Amino acid sequence: MPARMLTLREVSDYLHVNPATVRRLVRRGQLRAIRVGRDLRFEVRVVDQWVAAGGSIGRDSDRRESETHDQWRLGRGAQDE
């Protein structure tokens, strides 16, 4: 029997996070997805395993990325750190 697949929106609703957060988890390799054309699909089993394993959104790393982005946006590069 084929695995039940979820869309990006369904996973973001299930995890109660923004779809961009789910895309970020996929990009970082924290959550596995299958690309179908331009869309992402997720196996229910994989998402449930990720949650059961204590799947973390990683707020501390998100904060660091945001601070780095703000520094670049304000015209300060790595040399100012």
Side-chain angles (χ1 to χ4, degrees), residues 21-34:
T21 301
V22 177
R23 281 193 289 280
R24 187 169 43 250
L25 291 169
V26 171
R27 194 171 48 247
R28 291 179 180 169
Q30 294 176 298
L31 185 60
R32 192 176 62 191
I34 299 167

Side-chain angles (χ1 to χ4, degrees), residues 23-81:
R23 281 193 289 280
R24 187 169 43 250
L25 291 169
V26 171
R27 194 171 48 247
R28 291 179 180 169
Q30 294 176 298
L31 185 60
R32 192 176 62 191
I34 299 167
R35 187 162 294 281
V36 178
R38 293 182 61 188
D39 298 328
L40 294 173
R41 294 293 186 271
F42 302 82
E43 288 185 44
V44 172
R45 177 185 53 81
V46 171
V47 175
D48 285 340
Q49 286 174 347
W50 182 79
V51 170
S56 173
I57 303 300
R59 295 185 191 279
D60 290 338
S61 62
D62 289 348
R63 188 175 317 125
R64 282 193 298 275
E65 285 181 10
S66 176
E67 290 168 357
T68 301
H69 173 73
D70 289 344
Q71 289 172 350
W72 283 101
R73 189 171 47 86
L74 295 172
R76 296 186 308 233
Q79 70 276 8
D80 295 336
E81 294 180 1

